[in-house]
Amino acid sequence: MGVMMLLLLGCELTGKALGCKEGERLGQLNVKAAFNFPNGTALPTWRADKEDCCQWERINCSNIRNTMQVTKLQLSGLPQPRSLDAGALFPSGLCELASLETLSISGNELAGSIPRCLFNMTTLHTLDLSYNHFGGAIPPSLFSSLKLLESLSLSGNAFEGSFSFSSLLVLFCLSNCIPSSRHGFVPSFLMEQHDLEVFELFNCRLEGQLPSWLLENNTNLGYFNLMGSSFSGHFSLNSSLTNYNMWLIDVASNSLEGELPSYFSYVFPNLGDLNVSRNSMQGRIPSSLCHSPTASNLRMLDLSTNRFIGELPEKLMRCEILGILILANNNLRGQVLPRVANLSLLTYLSLSDNQFYGEISTGLLNSPSLSFLDMSSNNLSGVIPDWIGDLQELSVLSLADNSIEGTLPLSFCKLQKLEFLNLAGNDIGPSIPSCVNVSALKHLHLERMNLKGSLPQFLQAASSIVTLSLSSNALSGGIPSWIGSLSTLRVLLLAGNSFEGLMPQELCQLHNISIMDLSHNHLSGRIPSYFNKLAFGSSQVPDGTFTISGYGFTWAVVFSFPYVSTPQEGGDAVEVLFTSKHRLESYGGRVLPVMSGLDLSCNNLSGSIPLQLGNLSDIRSLNLSYNHLSGSIPVTISNLDQIECLDLSHNNLSGEIPQRLIELYRLSTFSVAYNNLSGRTPEPKYQFATFFRESYEGNSFLCGWQLGNCRSSGGLPLTPPPAEHQEDIFRTAFRWSFAGSYAMAFIGTVFTLCLSSYFWTLFFDFVYRHIPSSCAFIDRLFPMH
Ligand SMILES: *[C@@H]1O[C@H](CO)[C@@H](O)[C@H](O)[C@H]1NC(C)=O
Ligand SMILES: *[C@@H]1O[C@H](CO)[C@@H](O)[C@H](O)[C@H]1NC(C)=O
Ligand SMILES: *[C@@H]1O[C@H](CO)[C@@H](O)[C@H](O)[C@H]1NC(C)=O
Ligand SMILES: *[C@@H]1O[C@H](CO)[C@@H](O)[C@H](O)[C@H]1NC(C)=O
Ligand SMILES: *[C@@H]1O[C@H](CO)[C@@H](O)[C@H](O)[C@H]1NC(C)=O
Ligand SMILES: *[C@@H]1O[C@H](CO)[C@@H](O)[C@H](O)[C@H]1NC(C)=O
Ligand SMILES: *[C@@H]1O[C@H](CO)[C@@H](O)[C@H](O)[C@H]1NC(C)=O
Ligand SMILES: *[C@@H]1O[C@H](CO)[C@@H](O)[C@H](O)[C@H]1NC(C)=O
Ligand SMILES: *[C@@H]1O[C@H](CO)[C@@H](O)[C@H](O)[C@H]1NC(C)=O
Ligand SMILES: *[C@@H]1O[C@H](CO)[C@@H](O)[C@H](O)[C@H]1NC(C)=O
Ligand SMILES: *[C@@H]1O[C@H](CO)[C@@H](O)[C@H](O)[C@H]1NC(C)=O
Ligand SMILES: *[C@@H]1O[C@H](CO)[C@@H](O)[C@H](O)[C@H]1NC(C)=O
C-alpha cells in the first residue's frame, strides 16, 4: 500500500514537472477561446488534447519550485476583426498565470479598463499593453502592487487621469493621456520617480513646461525621449548636476524656446544623440556641445528647424566622432565648413535653409566619408571647388538655390556614387562636363541654371535615371532621339527652354513615364499619336529608395515627390502648407505611383488632338493649352477616367464639346476657353456643375448657362447632383477646384498638374493656387534666358 502511494505520488510529481499546471492550461484555453478568430484558427498549437502548455507557441515556462509554470507570454499582434473586451481575457484566463514575469499583449484591439486581477500578478517585471484601446483611469494601486515591474509600455491607449507607482525602473511610455498635476500636465506620480533609466513619452500631446526636473531627479536616466508632445518653456537644468548615463535626448517636435544651456554637455558628458529639431530654440549653438572634441561621445546632432543664429562653433567642428549633423532650417551664418573643421567621421551633413555664405570651404575636405551633403538654400557664392571630387563617397549632393557660378570642375567626374544631384537655381553653366559619371544617378535636378546648347548627350549613359529636370534653362535644338533609351525615367521636365522641332518618336519608348512636362518650348508639328504607349501612371514602379550607411546609422533616403501628408482627421483640411522649402526632407510620401501628367502647353503644336490620347486611361492631368491645335475635341477624351485637370484652352479647336465629357467624374479643373467651339456647353451635371464662365469664355459660338447667351431654354438651373454619393463628389470637387497647379517640392517651379484623388486620402501641399492663366504668367515662373 505504502509503495503504491509512493509510486502514485511519484507519477504525479513527474507528470507535473513535465507539463504545465492544469489551472494555467485551462486558463490559456479560455484565452484562446476569447481570441477565437478566425474561426478558432488563432493559436493553433494551443489544443485541449495537447497536455503540456509549455510546448504551445508564444509561451515560455520555467521550473519554479519543482513545477513548470508559465513565465512568459507573448501575445502581441494577433489578428482581430474588432475590439475585444479585456474582461474576456484576464479573469480565469491570463490571471491564472500566477508566476508570469513577462506579458505582452500589444496591438490586439483590447478594450475596457485594466482588469483588477492584473494587480495580483505580482511577479510581472515586463508589461506591454501598448496599442490597444484600454481606457479609463489607471488605478493607483496597480503599480504599488506590481513591485517588480521594470518595463511598462502603455502607449497607444486612451488612459486618463494621474496615477502613481513606486519602483518603476526602466520604461515609461504613455500616450493620449490627459493627466493633471502640479507640473503642467505631466502625471504627478513622476515626481516620486528617482530610478528611471529610460523615459519615453512618445507622441503624447502633453502640454506644459518641459519636465526638466525629471532629468534632475533621475540621475540614472540614460534615454530621455519626449518627442512629439507640446511641451514649451526652456531647458533649465541645475548646472551642478552630472549624469554620466545619459546617451540619448530627443525633445524634437515640441514648442521649446530659449537657448540650449551652454553647460549642456557638462551635465551630460556621455551624450551620444541629441535631437532638438522642430522647436523654437534660439541663440547660438553652444560650443560646449562637444565639450572636449576628443572625449565627446556626440555622434548625432539634429538642431534643424529652430531659430538658432550665429556661426558653427569651432569646438563642435572638431568633434571627433560626430557622424550626423543636421542644422537645416535655422538662421546660421558663416562659412561651410569653417577651415578649422575636422569632422573626420561625418557622413551626413544638412545645412540647407540657412544663411551660410562665401565660398564652399576646404573644411569639408576633412570629412572624406561624407555621403549626404545638402547645402541648398543658402547664400553660397564662388565656384564649385576642384577638390569636390575628393569627396568620393558622395551619393547625395544638393547645392540648389545658392549663388554659385562658373562651370562644374572636371574633378566632378571622379564622383562615381552620385545618386542624387541638385544644382538648381545657381548660375552654373553653360554646359556640364561630359565626363560626369552618371551610371548611378537616379535624380538629376539642373533646372533654373544657365545651361545652353543641346540636351547634354552624356545623359544617355544614365541607365538608372528616374527624374530628369532641366527646366528653365536656355537649352535649344531638337529633343534627341536617344532620350528613348532612358527606360527607367519616370519624370521628365524640360519646360521653359527653347527646344524646337518635332517630338521624337522615341519618346514613346519611355514606357514608365509618369510626368512629362515639355511646356514653354518651341516644339512644333502634331502631337504624336504614339503617346498612348506611355504609362502615365499605369505602371507601378517603386520610388527611388536607397540607403546611406555610415557610422552605426543606416539612413533610408526615399525619393518620391511631391510631398504628401497624411490626411487630417475628418478630411476637411484641404490646404496643408509646405513645411519646408525645397529640401530633401520633403521627399516623403508615396505619390509617384499615383501621379501622372502630360504638359505640352505653350508650344507651337498644330494639327488635331490624336484620338489615341483617349487611351491614357490613368493620366491625371493633360494640358495642351496655348498651342495651335485645330479640329474637334475627340470624344475619346471622355475615356480618361482618372483625369482631374484638362486644359485645352487657347487653341483653334472647333466643333462641339462632346457631351460625354460629363462622365469624367474626377475632373476638377477644366478649360476649353479661347477656341472656336460651338454648340452647347455640357450639361451641368456631376463635375460639370462646378465649371463656370472661365472654362468656356472666348468661344463666340458656344452657348450655355454659364455664358448666359442661349436663346432657347437658356439659363439652365444648376442642378445639384441627386444622390448622396454624387453630393460628396460635388462638394469635394468644389474644394479641389482651385487645385490647378502646384509646385513640386524638388523643383520649386510650377508644373500644371493637379492631382486630387479626392475620394481617396492624399492631400497635396499647394503652393500656388491658381491655374496660370497665360503663357506670360508662366514665363515669370520659368524665366528664360
Ligand atoms: C469561418 O466560418 C464561416 C461560417 O462557418 C465561414 O463562412 C468563413 O469562411 C470561415 N472563415 C474562415 C477564415 O475560415
Ligand atoms: C520561448 O519559447 C519559444 C517557442 O515557443 C522559443 O522559440 C524561445 O526560444 C523560448 N524562449 C526562451 C527564453 O526560452
Ligand atoms: C488577488 O488575490 C487575493 C488573495 O491572494 C484575492 O483575495 C483577490 O480576490 C485577488 N484579486 C483579484 C482581482 O483577483
Ligand atoms: C523630485 O522629487 C521630489 C520628491 O521626492 C519632489 O519633491 C521634487 O519636486 C522633485 N523635483 C525636483 C526638481 O527635485
Ligand atoms: C543644484 O544642485 C546643487 C547640488 O546638487 C544644490 O546645492 C543647488 O541648490 C542646486 N541649485 C538649484 C538652483 O536647484
Ligand atoms: C529628429 O527628430 C525629428 C522629428 O521627430 C525626426 O524627423 C528626425 O529624423 C530626427 N533626427 C534624427 C537624426 O534622427
Ligand atoms: C583630424 O582628426 C584626426 C583624428 O580624428 C586627426 O588624426 C587629424 O590629425 C586631424 N586633422 C587635423 C588637420 O587636425
Ligand atoms: C549674400 O551674400 C552677399 C555677398 O556674398 C551679400 O552681399 C548679401 O547681403 C548676402 N545675402 C544675405 C541674405 O545674407
Ligand atoms: C562610373 O562609375 C562606375 C561605378 O559607379 C564605374 O564602374 C565606372 O567605371 C565609372 N565610369 C567611368 C567612365 O568612369
Ligand atoms: C516599367 O514598369 C514595368 C511594370 O509596370 C516593369 O516591369 C518594368 O521593369 C519597368 N521598366 C523599367 C525600365 O523600369
Ligand atoms: C510654328 O509651326 C509652323 C509649322 O507648324 C511653322 O511654320 C512656324 O514657323 C512655327 N513657328 C515658330 C515660332 O516656331
Ligand atoms: C485605344 O483605344 C481604342 C478605343 O478607344 C481601342 O480600340 C484601341 O485598341 C486602344 N489602343 C491601345 C493601344 O490600347
Side-chain angles (χ1 to χ4, degrees):
M1 194 63 177
V3 176
M4 282 278 280
M5 282 274 290
L6 260 178
L7 273 178
L8 280 176
L9 207 67
C11 265
E12 209 188 332
L13 275 175
T14 8
K16 281 234 170 109
L18 279 177
C20 64
K21 282 165 66 179
E22 185 64 6
E24 299 201 328
R25 196 175 77 90
L26 294 178
Q28 293 329 289
L29 289 173
N30 287 339
V31 170
K32 175 184 164 109
F35 277 112
N36 193 29
F37 173 81
N39 292 1
T41 54
L43 305 167
T45 58
W46 293 24
R47 282 167 35 192
D49 58 341
K50 283 181 75 184
E51 298 238 324
D52 183 5
C53 69
C54 294
Q55 306 296 319
W56 295 355
E57 65 193 302
R58 293 165 178 262
I59 288 181
N60 292 83
C61 293
S62 301
N63 190 336
I64 295 170
R65 291 184 301 277
N66 257 343
T67 318
M68 291 305 280
Q69 299 193 22
V70 177
T71 51
K72 186 175 173 190
L73 193 54
Q74 202 289 96
L75 289 178
S76 24
L78 289 173
Q80 290 302 304
R82 56 181 177 272
S83 73
L84 183 63
D85 183 13
L89 217 58
F90 281 84
S92 61
L94 295 175
C95 291
E96 297 294 323
L97 304 175
S99 307
L100 202 59
E101 291 167 4
T102 299
L103 174 60
S104 170
I105 49 172
S106 64
N108 287 333
E109 313 274 343
L110 297 180
S113 49
I114 291 195
R116 289 261 146 187
C117 72
L118 193 64
F119 294 30
N120 275 2
M121 301 174 81
T122 48
T123 49
L124 275 181
H125 60 66
T126 301
L127 178 59
D128 182 357
L129 304 178
S130 59
Y131 300 100
N132 282 296
H133 308 298
F134 285 115
I138 296 183
S141 50
L142 172 61
F143 299 103
S144 54
S145 50
L146 303 185
K147 290 207 186 325
L148 300 179
L149 207 58
E150 289 178 350
S151 166
L152 171 68
S153 185
L154 302 174
S155 45
N157 283 293
F159 292 119
E160 54 194 55
S162 64
F163 43 92
S164 68
F165 50 105
S166 58
S167 61
L168 186 65
L169 283 178
V170 181
L171 178 65
F172 186 79
C173 190
L174 267 181
S175 186
N176 301 335
C177 35
I178 320 162
S180 56
S181 79
R182 281 181 284 156
H183 283 277
F185 295 99
V186 173
S188 58
F189 69 89
L190 287 173
M191 301 284 293
E192 287 139 45
Q193 304 306 309
H194 296 275
D195 299 315
L196 296 176
E197 289 176 10
V198 171
F199 182 84
E200 179 165 315
L201 277 169
F202 199 78
N203 279 334
C204 280
R205 302 196 202 109
L206 292 185
E207 289 177 10
Q209 297 283 312
L210 180 77
S212 311
W213 48 269
L214 263 169
L215 295 168
E216 293 179 10
N217 265 5
N218 292 279
T219 45
N220 289 325
L221 208 54
Y223 176 101
F224 185 74
N225 188 350
L226 291 182
M227 196 273 275
S229 274
S230 304
F231 287 115
S232 54
H234 300 221
F235 252 113
S236 59
L237 290 169
N238 185 336
S239 57
S240 54
L241 178 84
T242 313
N243 175 343
Y244 291 99
N245 295 310
M246 186 67 82
W247 58 274
L248 181 144
I249 295 180
D250 188 343
V251 290
S253 301
N254 279 283
S255 307
L256 303 181
E257 305 164 335
E259 303 193 3
L260 212 50
S262 59
Y263 48 84
F264 204 79
S265 67
Y266 298 101
V267 176
F268 305 114
N270 290 322
L271 193 66
D273 292 14
L274 177 61
N275 194 342
V276 186
S277 86
R278 298 177 208 216
N279 281 288
S280 302
M281 303 285 291
Q282 299 145 2
R284 293 171 179 274
I285 300 174
S287 69
S288 64
L289 269 184
C290 215
H291 56 98
S292 145
T294 48
S296 162
N297 281 323
L298 196 67
R299 300 184 313 168
M300 190 283 277
L301 178 63
D302 188 345
L303 304 180
S304 59
T305 315
N306 278 289
R307 299 190 201 134
F308 286 108
I309 56 166
E311 307 200 350
L312 298 172
E314 196 171 305
K315 258 188 188 167
L316 185 68
M317 287 300 101
R318 286 186 278 118
C319 199
E320 206 167 45
I321 70 167
L322 193 65
I324 295 177
L325 180 59
I326 306 179
L327 303 175
N329 218 351
N330 280 291
N331 293 316
L332 300 169
R333 314 173 55 80
Q335 281 212 308
V336 286
L337 288 176
R339 250 175 261 284
V340 293
N342 186 9
L343 297 172
S344 49
L345 293 177
L346 197 66
T347 58
Y348 192 109
L349 177 62
S350 172
L351 302 174
S352 64
D353 294 288
N354 279 290
Q355 282 144 32
F356 290 109
Y357 55 78
E359 300 194 1
I360 301 171
S361 145
T362 48
L364 281 174
L365 262 182
N366 291 329
S367 305
S369 14
L370 259 186
S371 74
F372 184 109
L373 176 57
D374 184 358
M375 305 200 287
S376 57
S377 300
N378 278 291
N379 193 14
L380 300 176
S381 54
V383 298
I384 295 182
D386 204 34
W387 47 259
I388 193 100
D390 296 341
L391 299 176
Q392 298 247 341
E393 295 301 314
L394 275 183
S395 66
V396 173
L397 174 61
S398 178
L399 299 173
D401 295 304
N402 281 290
S403 307
I404 297 169
E405 54 195 14
T407 51
L408 270 190
L410 282 179
S411 71
F412 205 83
C413 304
K414 287 198 280 179
L415 302 177
Q416 299 195 345
K417 297 189 176 172
L418 273 184
E419 294 189 35
F420 179 99
L421 176 62
N422 188 349
L423 303 176
N426 285 293
D427 195 11
I428 298 174
S431 63
I432 302 287
S434 60
C435 60
V436 168
N437 190 330
V438 292
S439 61
L441 204 60
K442 289 185 175 146
H443 304 275
L444 180 62
H445 295 281
L446 302 177
E447 63 271 9
R448 291 176 292 115
M449 293 180 34
N450 187 18
L451 299 180
K452 297 198 172 74
S454 56
L455 195 70
Q457 179 148 14
F458 66 90
L459 291 176
Q460 197 173 350
S463 55
S464 333
I465 195 156
V466 178
T467 313
L468 173 59
S469 173
L470 296 165
S471 298
S472 304
N473 280 291
L475 297 170
S476 55
I479 296 179
S481 56
W482 55 256
I483 197 123
S485 64
L486 305 179
S487 59
T488 48
L489 209 55
R490 303 220 61 194
V491 179
L492 175 62
L493 308 175
L494 301 178
N497 281 288
S498 303
F499 290 115
E500 60 193 9
L502 306 179
M503 282 182 260
Q505 181 109 27
E506 285 76 8
L507 278 177
C508 76
Q509 291 165 11
L510 302 176
H511 290 300
N512 289 345
I513 202 103
S514 282
I515 299 172
M516 187 188 293
D517 185 357
L518 307 179
S519 64
H520 300 86
N521 280 292
H522 309 309
L523 298 171
S524 55
R526 306 171 72 89
I527 298 176
S529 58
Y530 51 73
F531 267 152
N532 66 344
K533 300 218 178 81
L534 304 183
F536 284 112
S538 60
S539 74
Q540 300 276 315
V541 180
D543 297 335
T545 305
F546 62 95
T547 53
I548 297 174
S549 330
Y551 204 68
F553 295 89
T554 298
W555 217 270
V557 183
V558 179
F559 295 103
S560 62
F561 19 81
Y563 179 80
V564 185
S565 76
T566 47
Q568 307 235 325
E569 276 169 27
D572 271 333
V574 171
E575 286 182 62
V576 187
L577 278 182
F578 250 136
T579 49
S580 80
K581 298 163 198 170
H582 317 304
R583 296 190 334 220
L584 219 52
E585 281 89 346
S586 316
Y587 289 48
R590 312 168 299 279
V591 72
L592 204 49
V594 298
M595 171 172 173
S596 60
L598 172 63
D599 192 346
L600 301 175
S601 62
C602 300
N603 275 292
N604 183 23
L605 300 172
S606 53
S608 55
I609 300 176
L611 299 181
Q612 289 87 340
L613 283 191
N615 290 54
L616 301 176
S617 54
D618 286 310
I619 203 165
R620 306 262 176 156
S621 174
L622 178 62
N623 188 350
L624 305 177
S625 63
Y626 292 95
N627 278 292
H628 302 119
L629 300 172
S630 54
S632 57
I633 300 175
V635 72
T636 55
I637 294 285
S638 57
N639 298 340
L640 303 178
D641 296 337
Q642 306 295 320
I643 200 157
E644 291 157 17
C645 294
L646 177 62
D647 191 351
L648 305 176
S649 64
H650 296 273
N651 279 294
N652 300 324
L653 299 171
S654 56
E656 302 202 349
I657 302 173
Q659 295 293 322
R660 268 188 58 204
L661 288 185
I662 63 169
E663 291 165 21
L664 299 176
Y665 301 118
R666 292 181 168 225
L667 207 55
S668 62
T669 301
F670 171 74
S671 180
V672 290
Y674 299 98
N675 279 292
N676 291 325
L677 297 166
S678 53
R680 298 185 76 88
T681 59
E683 257 186 283
K685 274 173 82 177
Y686 314 128
Q687 293 308 99
F688 277 79
T690 66
F691 304 137
F692 302 110
R693 182 182 190 89
E694 318 79 75
S695 299
Y696 301 103
E697 66 193 356
N699 289 285
S700 352
F701 302 108
L702 198 60
C703 110
W705 60 275
Q706 304 91 339
L707 303 166
N709 61 350
C710 286
R711 245 168 286 131
S712 59
S713 71
L716 287 178
L718 193 147
T719 5
E724 193 185 312
H725 167 68
Q726 284 153 353
E727 171 99 9
D728 277 343
I729 291 182
F730 172 79
R731 267 196 275 118
T732 330
F734 189 76
R735 271 196 254 130
W736 281 102
S737 59
F738 65 85
S741 62
Y742 60 88
M744 273 188 286
F746 57 99
I747 51 170
T749 53
V750 169
F751 183 72
T752 46
L753 172 95
C754 80
L755 178 72
S756 67
S757 304
Y758 53 79
F759 57 81
W760 300 119
T761 50
L762 302 180
F763 286 153
F764 286 95
D765 303 318
F766 293 101
V767 176
Y768 297 90
R769 302 204 198 136
H770 305 289
I771 315 165
S773 56
S774 72
C775 284
F777 173 81
I778 300 176
D779 283 341
R780 270 182 277 133
L781 297 163
F782 290 99
M784 295 211 231
H785 296 262

